Amino acid sequence: MCGVFGIHGHDEAANIAYLGIHALQHRGQESAGLVACDGRMRRVAAMGLVSDTFNRDSLATLPGTTSVGHVRYSTAGSSELRNAQPLMFEYTGGSIAIAHNGNLVNALELRTELEREGSLFQTSSDTEVIVHLMAKASNPELLGRLQEGLTRVSGAYSLILCTADGTMIGARDPYGFRPLVLGRLKDSYVLSSETASFDLIEAEYIREIEPGEIVVIQNGGMTSHRHEQWAASLPASRFCVFEHVYFARPDSMLNGLSVYRARERMGRRLAQENPVDADVVIAVPDSGVPAAIGYANEAKIPFEMGLIRSHYVGRTFIEPQDSIRHFGVRLKLSPVRSVVDGKRVIVVDDSLVRGTTSRKIVKMLRAAGAREVHLRISAPPTTHPCFYGIDTPTRSELVAASHTIEEIARYVTCDTLGYLSHSGLLNAVKADQDKSYCSACFTGEYPLPLGVGAADRGGLVKLRLAKV
Ligand code: AMP
């Protein structure tokens, strides 16, 4: 998963963009990058966190009034420096940079075709095909090139591009799988994956970039355009419901909803659907907290901090190798004995993927004296991998793909296990005709046909164990 941020028309563009991607750090911790434009385009990118990648000196090498940034967790293309974004290229139109959140489902076919025609790829990232398609486009204008390129591309993309002259473009795929929001900071336009970064820089939220919309921001003004291919009619939008369940920051507004409130409603519904007599409700922090509060309020059972999360766990323990995963969970989460000892505990988490985390949590709680452990998940069973940008393991590793709820409960060794229903989830995110979602990870109903490469991409993606 990734986060993108861009600012146009600010004297301290790179500094602001630095703050912007800092607020999006939860969306990707593998690499961070910024480009800035002042007639020339410059770039700084490295593996690691935003705060490790940039300092006063490196930011000083990024002059210009337009800057675009990116944080990355690889879902397509391997984790290495050459894939760190924004990617920057020279072509007949000049210098261009691109930052992408989402996954293209036909990137492999396009890449094979482009390579056969002589394109030399510099990265293994799916994003690069967009630039090659733009470079080959017959239309000489930047917008026209992008529109032409995007007609060939299928999948999830929220993009921010910029050129050396400071023009900035934002584009969202016709389904609107991934978020992209527009804001204003004094005379500057800002684009971001999430509104949380607007709060940090004190920018005013204007609106979402609409599915299928392309905005061109240059010389202080903005124009809005449509994808050529979809000019007549757009498909129904399919915003990713998992952004609300787990991925986005709770202080962001997404798809017109507060993420925090949506999670709280998931918890309330969960309590209605899966009540159980207990003494205390606790959360798996941080992402499980709003749902646990919702559950506790609905069930009228006190909410307490029964698990404490260490915020100092380094990257070493994010790697999902079996030998260290065991320590990983314990290093990250520890039980509060005085909250759980002798109690019947309801523990709320946002999702259960492989089940390994839950199993360890249940064990930990029992070791800390919990008399009963009732696990409640504020989402339906995760049965299918995501091909549109969330890091999920292959179907064979998704415990709910091949096991019943009773079997999963036995595996994680909890007393009872309850999931939120799919209709309960849709209700919590206020799904209706105007607000439709992609929930393929819970239903297997993929809104967009998967390309050849996507079918086995599930084998390449790894579950990231980092939680925010
Ligand atoms: P598992 O041990 O595989 O069942 O992991 C479940 C935990 O991972 C839950 O606490 C989730 O909050 C978290 N989680 C779910 N999806 C993801 C994801 N795509 N990346 C990282 N963590 C996740």
Side-chain angles (χ1 to χ4, degrees):
M1 206 35 168
C2 302
V4 294
F5 182 91
I7 179 157
H8 167 93
H10 197 287
D11 287 340
E12 290 198 63
N15 287 342
I16 301 285
Y18 166 80
L19 295 172
I21 55 172
H22 203 289
L24 300 176
Q25 185 74 84
H26 61 289
R27 299 184 70 87
Q29 299 95 38
E30 265 181 23
S31 70
L34 287 174
V35 296
C37 316
D38 70 344
R40 231 184 98 188
M41 190 182 283
R42 297 173 182 84
R43 172 180 186 263
V44 176
M47 302 305 290
L49 301 176
V50 174
S51 56
D52 297 334
T53 302
F54 299 97
N55 55 33
R56 194 185 298 245
D57 293 341
S58 58
L59 287 171
T61 67
L62 295 169
T65 53
T66 293
S67 182
V68 171
H70 188 268
V71 287
R72 175 168 198 261
Y73 179 82
S74 53
T75 49
S78 50
S79 170
E80 50 183 320
L81 185 56
R82 69 189 173 124
N83 287 336
Q85 295 194 19
L87 301 175
M88 190 171 118
F89 300 93
E90 301 290 328
Y91 75 120
T92 46
S95 307
I96 187 160
I98 183 167
H100 173 199
N101 173 209
N103 262 351
L104 306 183
V105 294
N106 66 343
L108 205 64
E109 294 100 297
L110 289 174
R111 185 176 172 125
T112 309
E113 176 192 315
L114 287 159
E115 281 178 335
R116 222 178 276 132
E117 290 164 7
S119 289
L120 298 171
F121 278 77
Q122 296 172 26
T123 73
S124 62
S125 138
D126 58 342
T127 311
E128 191 178 344
V129 298
I130 298 174
V131 181
H132 285 264
L133 291 169
M134 287 178 73
K136 288 173 59 113
S138 53
N139 195 313
E141 303 297 329
L142 180 65
L143 172 65
R145 282 180 188 276
L146 179 62
Q147 283 173 317
E148 205 176 313
L150 291 182
T151 58
R152 300 287 320 278
V153 160
S154 171
Y157 53 86
S158 282
L159 302 173
I160 306 181
L161 300 98
C162 66
T163 52
D165 67 359
T167 301
M168 181 165 85
I169 295 186
R172 209 168 160 207
D173 70 72
Y175 292 86
F177 287 108
R178 299 282 146 236
L180 190 63
V181 289
L182 174 73
R184 199 92 165 118
L185 177 61
K186 298 202 181 89
D187 296 332
S188 316
Y189 278 107
V190 279
L191 291 167
S192 179
S193 293
E194 290 187 35
T195 60
S197 55
F198 292 170
D199 296 335
L200 176 65
I201 61 169
E202 297 184 336
E204 179 201 349
Y205 166 75
I206 301 180
R207 64 175 177 86
E208 310 229 335
I209 301 300
E210 285 169 26
E213 183 180 10
I214 301 175
V215 292
V216 179
I217 302 169
Q218 56 190 0
N219 305 322
M222 188 185 92
T223 52
S224 168
H225 310 263
R226 287 260 147 224
H227 283 223
E228 259 180 359
Q229 186 186 1
W230 303 100
S233 78
L234 276 172
S237 71
R238 287 280 183 261
F239 183 66
C240 167
V241 80
F242 201 67
E243 292 268 354
H244 273 302
V245 168
Y246 165 81
F247 210 78
R249 271 174 58 152
D251 51 342
S252 281
M253 292 284 301
L254 289 184
N255 209 22
L257 296 178
S258 148
V259 175
Y260 181 94
R261 292 287 171 218
R263 286 182 191 165
E264 198 188 22
R265 282 192 295 274
M266 289 171 208
R268 282 189 177 276
R269 286 294 296 226
L270 183 61
Q272 290 162 7
E273 293 179 4
N274 295 281
V276 62
D277 212 13
D279 303 309
V280 65
V281 176
I282 67 168
V284 179
D286 294 332
S287 49
V289 173
I293 292 173
Y295 191 107
N297 287 341
E298 185 68 25
K300 305 208 168 19
I301 299 172
F303 168 79
E304 296 211 62
M305 300 265 290
L307 285 167
I308 301 297
R309 178 179 161 76
S310 165
H311 291 268
Y312 308 103
V313 182
R315 275 202 42 83
T316 332
F317 292 95
I318 291 171
E319 299 305 333
Q321 293 161 16
D322 273 338
S323 56
I324 55 173
R325 204 189 275 164
H326 175 68
F327 286 105
V329 176
R330 286 218 257 157
L331 202 70
K332 223 158 30 188
L333 294 170
S334 60
V336 181
R337 184 172 277 277
S338 63
V339 170
V340 301
D341 195 11
K343 303 272 177 57
R344 296 168 302 164
V345 178
I346 296 173
V347 54
V348 180
D349 201 355
D350 57 83
S351 52
L352 194 151
V353 184
R354 296 180 220 242
T356 46
T357 309
S358 308
R359 190 179 155 88
K360 278 163 196 155
I361 289 171
V362 173
K363 238 186 215 165
M364 260 180 344
L365 293 172
R366 289 204 201 279
R371 199 145 53 85
E372 292 173 15
V373 181
H374 302 280
L375 181 62
R376 294 293 179 269
I377 305 295
S378 59
T382 305
T383 49
H384 289 76
C386 176
F387 297 104
Y388 310 128
I390 298 271
D391 330 312
T392 36
T394 55
R395 217 158 168 235
S396 61
E397 291 172 275
L398 295 172
V399 67
S402 52
H403 294 82
T404 63
I405 295 183
E406 291 71 32
E407 286 167 341
I408 300 170
R410 234 174 314 178
Y411 171 66
V412 302
T413 71
C414 56
D415 292 279
T416 66
L417 169 64
Y419 285 93
L420 180 62
S421 67
H422 187 234
S423 62
L425 174 63
L426 293 183
N427 183 284
V429 293
K430 301 193 185 253
D432 59 24
Q433 271 160 340
D434 298 330
K435 232 191 254 310
S436 46
Y437 290 87
C438 172
S439 46
C441 51
F442 303 125
T443 62
E445 287 163 26
Y446 293 99
L448 194 59
L450 304 175
V452 179
D456 48 8
R457 247 211 60 254
L460 298 177
V461 290
K462 289 188 182 148
L463 174 68
R464 181 169 48 99
L465 290 170
K467 280 188 41 147
V468 288

